[in-house]
Amino acid sequence: MALKSSRYRKVGPASLSQRTEPRHTVVISSASLKRKGNKPIAATLLDISIYGCRFEADAIFKEGEKVVVTMDEHEPVNATMVWQKTRQAGCRFADALDTEVLRALTLSA
């Protein structure tokens, strides 16, 4: 049941950006994801922040699945899958990405 105060009042859409850190658009086709005990899966990194990334890959991931993300020549990063829709998916890094690595990735894109 609606409250009287909002019953006839239009409510605007929720804020789309609820992130604490901004995402940086990149196109890095030399990224890969690796599940425990499996071969790396080629991926294209589409955007990144210090806490996570969005990528495109020909694979199906489960929410909560642990993966290792490799980007260019940088150290691999442990991550957890958060969502997937068609070929795109997003993951959250276990530890915040070093700002120098983020800077190098965004400048190379």
Side-chain angles (χ1 to χ4, degrees), residues 18-87:
Q18 298 177 356
R19 302 184 191 288
T20 57
E21 290 292 323
R23 289 268 172 156
H24 302 278
T25 302
V26 295
V27 178
I28 299 173
S29 56
S30 59
S32 67
L33 298 144
K34 187 175 182 198
R35 294 175 170 138
K36 188 174 183 176
N38 291 334
K39 293 181 181 179
I41 300 164
T44 300
L45 203 61
L46 302 174
D47 67 30
I48 189 166
S49 77
I50 63 169
Y51 296 117
C53 65
R54 178 173 58 105
F55 60 88
E56 188 171 75
D58 287 326
I60 296 173
F61 297 95
K62 295 178 184 171
E63 187 177 320
E65 184 176 0
K66 305 290 185 194
V67 295
V68 177
V69 181
T70 306
M71 302 164 275
D72 285 342
E73 307 87 34
H74 300 286
E75 289 291 318
V77 180
N78 293 323
T80 303
M81 299 306 300
V82 179
W83 62 270
Q84 180 168 19
K85 185 174 182 180
T86 59
R87 295 184 64 215

